[in-house]
Structure formats: structure tokens, C-alpha cells
Amino acid sequence: MARVVVVGAGLGGLAAAARTAAGGHRVTVLEQAPEVGGKLGWVSRDGHGFDTGPSLVTLPQVFADLFAATGDPLDDVLDLVRLDPAVAYRFADGTRLAVPGTLDGVRSTLGPEWSAFLDRAAEMWRVTEQPFLRSPLQGARTLARLARSVADVRTVAPWSSLRSLGAAYLTDPHLRMLLDRYATYSGSDPRLAPAALATVPWVEQAFGSWYVRGGLRRLPLAVADRAVERGADIKTSTPVTRVLVEGGRACGVQLADGGRIDADVVVCNADAAALYGDLLPRRAPVRSARASLARATPSSSGFVLLLALRGRTPDLAHHTVLFPADYDAEFDDLFARPRPLRDPTVYVSAPDDPATRPDADSESWFVLVNAPRQGQVDWDAPGVAETHADHVLDVLARRGLDVRDRVRWREVRTPADLERATGSVGGAIYGTSSNGARAAFLRPANASPLPGLFLVGGSSHPGGGLPLVTLSAEIVAGLVGPA
């Protein structure tokens, strides 16, 4: 039995705690915030309720595996609802496109070009799922696993960007724009992100888009309960200021109140940049990890409006995406000349769930636009956040969703707020972006160069998003091993 300390109670940290505790170890989880969940937050006020982070579950089998490995099955704990349509897209030329919630429906609705693209994406998934997404990142050995055949390398096309792969299959400009959006799932630019990101729409459309009835907030709460059932001790409002190193290995953590917790294994669910930049001593033997992070491009962030609305919007999907006329200008504003986006893509999550509204004549909208990180823009400067919030509402109105006279109240959350709440540097949602052919291999590995220290969560391998974060916990638990 090892003494395991998990720093951070985001979904990745909680899943790692549940798995390692189920494996027989003595586990303590330390979370700086008053509540568990990390970026999977929840805000409630006057009967309105909002998920403040991810709003979509994909690859439900990953979560089924987690619950099956640690106790009662998923279906006994959470009610997952398959969304159909999965998402409704609105384009600047007035075109509307509702993407069905089933693979057959997607192929029929989006047509033969998209169907052929999905066939290629399915092959990419087959090649990469086990040797990359479900296995530890091991530098050249990971590349060797991926390159086991010339045909597999050709399938993954590591020399191609997501944009160029789309151009090879898609002539419809609406479908090309739809595909580009999947780069933003990792805070990246489709012109630079690798073609392998084609696996993201494949996963979403092949395995479905799902919602947790009562809000996605219930997912980390359920995983926290499972960890406690298996014997883990979760302490909230307990910031960690230092990962301790003795004898060339991690040996515990220092707390903000001056206390110390000794450990045989430290699992860090904090942002990798914060770990290697602030939590470890400068002389810790992690030079290679710090060098890889320095070469990587941080991901973009997000600007959020929580809107408590009077009345109901006819024919509103659970997820709605409203595109601009010039999508490249958005990526220029994010990565080339960082500024608050002048004409952003607007994402609206409006669950038809009584748990999110005070009555049947109300709506609670989570509105998200891409945003440069804090530091690239000073989101705390007077007037910046409120001015941009007004701008986003104006953009919504121009694109056919004018709710300005229906707002009971609104709450604005900027990249600076995200940085303060979660410790993600600059509010970078996914840690490092996928920009560049080598980006996936620059992402911090789950096993750090320092013995006894492991990384879990969206800023480490295999990446951001709920299923990948949960897979990172499975990898870490495997590296720690059973008692």
C-alpha cells in the first residue's frame, strides 16, 4: 500500500483517486477550491443553474469503464441522455444545419463528402486509440508504436493539418467550417493543428453526444463519491504550495497553512505549467519536461456569459453554434494578433432540463466564445470584460438570437477568472494547444522525469476534454500499479 497524494480535484484527479484507492492504496486528495470539480463548475442563482465548463460528454464507454473498475456501474449512478440533434449550426449566409445524434443520421444529413471523411477519421481512430490515447507517452517509443506500418503512418498523415485534410475531402464551405471548429476543442488553430484531430468529430458522431441529466456537474461529484467509497480522503480549501523532493524523488507536498503531507506517490492534477513553473523546486530534475513545455504553444482560453433569461426560445437545440463570415480572422485574433475577438463564433448551451431553470418560462444559457489568454489581453482592465460581453450579445442578435431584452441577470467569466479559479496559467483551457505536427509529443507525459511524480488531467497526455482526462487517470493508475 502506497501513500498517494493527489493535488487537485478536477475530473482527472478524482478519477485517478478512485482508481488508485480501488487498487488498495491510501489516497488523499487536496483541492484549493471549496468544492471539487475543477473546470466542471456549477453556478446557481434565483433558480437558474449553469454548468460553467464542459457541456458535452463523448465516449461514454470511458466513464462506464471507470465506474465498473471502481464499484457500481455508471447507469446506477448517473443518467446520461443522448442528444439528437447533437448540435445545430448557423452560418453567416443564413444556412442552418442540424447534425443528428446518430452516425447513420450524420452520414445521411451531411452527405457523401462528410461520410468519406468520417471513414478516414475512423481509420485514424483505429490506428491511434490504443498506442497513443490509452498508453503512456514515451517519446521515441510512442512514435515507434504509431509508425508500426507505412500504411498507418499514411492514414494518420502527421505532415498534414486538419485544414488541409478537410480540403482533401470537402468541397462544401459549410462542412469545411464545421470541421475547422473541432480544432478549438483543443484550443488550437485548424491551419496548424494536426490532421489526427479528425478523430474528434469521429468520436462525437460515432459514439454520440451525451448530457448528464441534472447538469454535467454531477459527473465529478459522482466520481468524488466513488473515490470516498473506495477509501480516499478528499480535503477541499486546502491549497498546495510545493511538491517536496528528497533523495531525487517526490516525497509529499507542502500546504499553504505550513503543514506537510508525506507521500510515496504524488499525482498532480494542477496545470502542468503551474507544476513545472511554480510547485516544484527550481533544482528538481525535470529539465526535459520544462524544455518541452517551453517549446509548446499554450492553448487559447474562453470568455463566458451566463445568461438568466425570461421566456423560451422556439426550436432551440441543446447546443447551437453561430459562425462568422470570416473564420480565419477569428484564429488570427487568437494566435497571430491576440485581441478580444471582433467577430467570434458563438457557442450556446441551453439544456432543456428543469434542474437548470426556476420555471417552465425561463432559460439558462451558457455562452462561450474563444478568447486569448490572460496576459495576451488584460481582461481585468477596467471596462474590458463588460464591453466584450455587450459585444457578444450584439453578435448573437445580429445572427438571429436577440435576447438582450430577456436578460434577468448575467455573469461574465474571463480568462483571468478561469486562471484564478483553476490555476491554469493564463486561463489556457487545455494547457498546451495542438498547433504543430509535434504538439502531441510536447504535451507533458503522465510519468514525470521525477520519480514518484505523475501528471493527470487536461494539460497532460493524452489531452483535454472529458474522455481524454479520464483516460489520463486510467494511464496514471496503471503506472502507479495496485497495492
Side-chain angles (χ1 to χ4, degrees):
M1 177 185 291
R3 299 167 299 171
V4 178
V5 168
V6 180
V7 181
L11 179 60
L14 293 170
R19 283 186 175 274
T20 52
H25 298 295
R26 192 169 69 206
V27 180
T28 302
V29 182
L30 306 172
E31 169 56 47
Q32 66 172 354
E35 299 175 336
V36 303
K39 295 184 177 75
L40 271 165
W42 177 262
V43 166
S44 59
R45 173 178 157 193
D46 302 332
H48 290 273
F50 306 84
D51 282 313
T52 61
S55 57
L56 180 70
V57 172
T58 58
L59 268 184
Q61 187 59 47
V62 169
F63 306 98
D65 292 345
L66 168 64
F67 281 89
T70 57
D72 293 336
L74 173 67
D75 291 345
D76 288 358
V77 181
L78 295 170
D79 185 8
L80 265 63
V81 181
R82 190 164 188 155
L83 300 177
D84 197 1
V87 60
Y89 293 98
R90 301 187 185 191
F91 298 88
D93 64 4
T95 299
R96 296 192 181 190
L97 186 59
V99 176
T102 65
L103 184 58
D104 287 345
V106 169
R107 291 185 184 277
S108 175
T109 299
L110 300 190
E113 288 189 353
W114 189 262
S115 190
F117 165 77
L118 283 181
D119 290 341
R120 173 67 176 276
E123 283 299 297
M124 288 180 161
W125 176 253
R126 177 190 62 77
V127 170
T128 60
E129 180 192 7
Q130 187 59 49
F132 185 72
L133 297 179
R134 291 182 178 269
S135 302
L137 188 63
Q138 296 176 313
R141 281 178 288 178
T142 299
L143 285 171
R145 287 198 301 268
L146 290 174
R148 57 183 178 237
S149 79
V150 173
D152 285 351
V153 172
R154 188 179 300 115
T155 294
V156 176
W159 53 84
S160 296
S161 68
L162 184 66
R163 170 72 63 84
S164 62
L165 181 70
Y169 284 87
L170 309 172
T171 59
D172 185 331
H174 302 108
L175 294 182
R176 288 187 176 186
M177 190 172 288
L178 189 157
L179 177 60
D180 277 354
R181 174 160 173 76
Y182 284 95
T184 68
Y185 280 37
S186 61
S188 307
D189 184 334
R191 301 168 297 188
L192 301 174
L197 283 186
T199 56
V200 180
W202 164 253
V203 164
E204 183 178 294
Q205 293 166 15
F207 303 106
S209 299
W210 302 78
Y211 173 69
V212 179
R213 198 182 303 277
L216 266 70
R217 170 68 173 166
R218 295 196 173 186
L219 176 58
L221 293 178
V223 179
D225 288 344
R226 179 58 51 83
V228 171
E229 289 170 9
R230 301 280 73 81
D233 181 20
I234 299 177
K235 301 179 184 294
T236 56
S237 300
T238 308
V240 169
T241 58
R242 180 75 70 183
V243 173
L244 300 174
V245 180
E246 292 178 3
R249 63 174 293 116
C251 64
V253 296
Q254 185 81 38
L255 306 181
D257 65 5
R260 168 183 172 136
I261 297 180
D262 293 325
D264 304 298
V265 173
V266 176
V267 177
C268 187
N269 187 211
D271 185 274
L275 168 66
Y276 288 123
D278 301 321
L279 294 181
L280 280 169
R282 293 309 304 170
R283 293 185 178 181
V286 292
R287 180 179 299 176
S288 60
R290 285 171 171 153
S292 291
L293 266 178
R295 293 195 299 272
T297 302
S299 81
S300 59
S301 188
F303 181 94
V304 171
L305 289 178
L306 307 179
L307 300 179
L309 301 179
R310 306 178 190 88
R312 302 295 293 274
T313 307
D315 302 319
L316 184 67
H318 189 110
H319 301 293
T320 302
V321 175
L322 303 100
F323 283 114
D326 184 356
Y327 208 10
D328 280 1
E330 174 163 330
F331 298 111
D332 289 340
D333 285 353
L334 281 172
F335 297 105
R337 298 178 296 278
R339 68 183 92 182
L341 270 58
R342 295 163 294 172
D343 193 22
T345 301
V346 184
Y347 166 77
V348 178
S349 176
D352 187 10
D353 183 345
T356 66
R357 58 178 185 256
D359 53 59
D361 193 37
S362 298
E363 291 177 339
S364 301
W365 285 16
F366 170 88
V367 178
L368 171 70
V369 299
N370 291 321
R373 300 180 304 281
Q374 173 68 6
Q376 294 180 305
V377 171
D378 183 1
W379 291 103
D380 285 334
V384 171
E386 291 300 323
T387 297
H388 197 51
D390 291 339
H391 175 60
V392 171
L393 288 174
D394 291 343
V395 170
L396 273 171
R398 290 198 301 270
R399 298 184 192 162
L401 285 179
D402 190 353
V403 296
R404 291 172 294 188
D405 62 349
R406 295 171 49 198
V407 177
R408 288 193 175 108
W409 53 265
R410 76 185 191 191
E411 183 172 321
V412 179
R413 296 195 164 197
T414 71
D417 296 322
L418 182 62
E419 181 178 43
R420 283 187 285 268
T422 68
S424 57
V425 177
I429 295 177
Y430 305 100
T432 57
S433 74
S434 297
N435 291 344
R438 298 182 60 223
F441 302 98
L442 294 175
R443 183 174 289 277
N446 303 110
S448 82
L450 179 68
L453 176 63
F454 299 90
L455 283 72
V456 70
S459 66
S460 62
H461 177 74
L466 298 182
L468 296 189
V469 161
T470 308
L471 285 176
S472 77
E474 184 175 343
I475 292 170
V476 166
L479 292 169
V480 173

